[in-house]
Amino acid sequence: MDDLRLSLRLLRAFMVAVDSGSITGAATMLNVAPSAVAAAIDRVEAEFGAALVVRARARGITATPAGRALAARIRPLIEDYSSVMKEGYALGLGLQGTLHIGYYAPVAPAFLPRILQEMANDNPDLRFNLRECDNITAQSGLLDGALDVALFAGDEVLAGVETRPLLDLPPYVLAPRGHAICQRERPEISDLKDVPLVLLDLPVAGAYVRGLLRTAGIVPHIVATASSVEMVRSLVGAGMGLAVLNMRPRTSVSYGGDPLVAVPLAAGTPLHLVSGRAEGAPRRLVQAFQDRLHGWFGLAEAQDLITR
């Protein structure tokens, strides 16, 4: 098929005429002139090269077997079109459907569930799909339509992604309770020289910590790497070593039940936490989520994610 030569409008007029058995009746139902319905029937018959209706006096029509079969095939097509249009309008006008969220922020579970639950309470037809991903994968998901919105850290922003700042995250040292470094109010990065370290080995976080140490002239003594914050925290709690992190959860105990202490570093460029979406006008659901997200980060409660 080279092109779509029959519009849905013409097909619908033909189907309604067959169903009603009357050109004037179909015209009344469609709120068009009878001549428009008659012209639609002529176009459909000409396109398929077959007689699809038998015209009678007083504008009555009777569908041929071929005409009835064609009308039956058109009906689900029109119904599917109507369904697609309703869903499309819902995307732009209502808080319903599924919101696809990508997040890099290592401790997004510390704040994201509460925000989503508040949205769900107000909009029971909402569904959420959450995907943990790295910085670049999150942005790529925005550009290819797999994600509606993403949370990520770092300054590398791909073309076509629009970001809004959430929070600046200065570095801190995570230590088991009782460690000597906990006695220092604001330790220097140089204090980590020759100290066993546990590294959060994620694309942005790992490069960030290595950069801090390199700037201070430190060759890191890394005894373990992990790809999740909770594993890093548990390794630190078990006494494996110290860790340099940026965002902290709302608990001072590891999964292993060990008490932990977060000690702010005296210096270090912060990581920048942002929300992002593809450029262009967002659907209402995306805008509503971002507004709630940024509203929460404007509260004093959000400052608990920072070690000062």
Side-chain angles (χ1 to χ4, degrees):
M1 182 173 61
D2 295 331
D3 52 30
L4 300 175
R5 289 175 292 197
L6 289 177
S7 68
L8 286 171
R9 178 178 57 82
L10 292 173
L11 293 174
R12 182 167 182 255
F14 171 81
M15 180 193 74
V16 174
V18 169
D19 288 346
S20 64
S22 168
I23 289 177
T24 54
T28 300
M29 294 175 63
L30 297 172
N31 196 28
V32 298
S35 59
V37 176
I41 295 173
D42 291 342
R43 283 285 306 277
V44 174
E45 287 185 317
E47 182 64 32
F48 294 115
L52 301 175
V53 300
V54 177
R55 293 166 175 79
R57 291 182 179 182
R59 290 194 175 277
I61 61 170
T62 302
T64 66
R68 288 194 298 272
L70 180 61
R73 294 291 300 275
I74 291 172
R75 188 167 294 104
L77 179 65
I78 299 298
E79 291 173 352
D80 285 346
Y81 172 78
S82 298
S83 177
V84 168
M85 292 303 293
K86 288 179 181 178
E87 290 181 10
Y89 288 131
L91 292 178
L93 299 176
L95 295 186
Q96 53 186 296
T98 301
L99 183 65
H100 299 271
I101 304 170
Y103 63 94
Y104 168 78
V107 292
F111 59 87
L112 199 50
R114 182 176 302 180
I115 295 171
L116 298 183
Q117 179 57 40
E118 290 175 354
M119 291 189 70
N121 287 341
D122 296 338
N123 305 277
D125 291 332
L126 275 181
R127 299 293 181 268
F128 303 100
N129 178 275
L130 283 75
R131 184 182 307 173
E132 185 169 357
C133 43
D134 62 53
N135 197 352
I136 299 301
T137 303
Q139 296 183 68
S140 298
L142 296 174
L143 296 176
D144 64 23
L147 298 175
D148 295 309
V149 64
L151 288 73
F152 56 93
D155 299 318
E156 296 182 10
V157 179
L158 300 181
V161 174
E162 180 179 306
T163 63
R164 292 170 59 184
L166 287 169
L167 199 63
D168 290 339
L169 306 167
Y172 67 90
V173 176
L174 184 70
R177 183 183 295 174
H179 193 281
I181 204 166
C182 299
Q183 305 304 315
R184 304 178 189 178
E185 184 176 349
R186 293 183 68 84
E188 301 285 345
I189 297 176
S190 57
D191 292 327
L192 300 178
K193 184 179 181 180
D194 299 326
V195 172
L197 296 175
V198 178
L199 180 70
L200 177 59
D201 195 16
L202 292 174
V204 173
Y208 171 83
V209 172
R210 292 180 188 275
L212 286 179
L213 298 171
R214 184 170 55 250
T215 300
I218 297 175
V219 177
H221 176 36
I222 297 173
V223 295
T225 63
S227 60
S228 74
V229 169
E230 198 46 58
M231 181 55 75
V232 169
R233 288 169 53 81
S234 293
L235 290 168
V236 171
M240 184 76 72
L242 306 181
V244 177
L245 300 171
N246 294 83
M247 188 185 296
R248 69 177 185 181
R250 294 164 172 257
T251 177
S252 59
V253 178
S254 72
Y255 268 9
D258 299 304
L260 299 166
V261 179
V263 186
L265 280 167
T269 302
L271 274 179
H272 305 296
L273 181 65
V274 302
S275 73
R277 57 178 172 80
E279 290 180 349
R283 57 186 174 120
R284 186 183 173 194
L285 175 54
V286 174
Q287 187 66 58
F289 168 72
Q290 279 195 296
D291 288 346
R292 291 222 187 195
L293 178 68
H294 286 262
W296 187 86
F297 271 89
L299 301 175
E301 190 177 5
Q303 301 302 311
D304 292 340
L305 304 176
I306 299 175
T307 300
R308 300 186 181 278

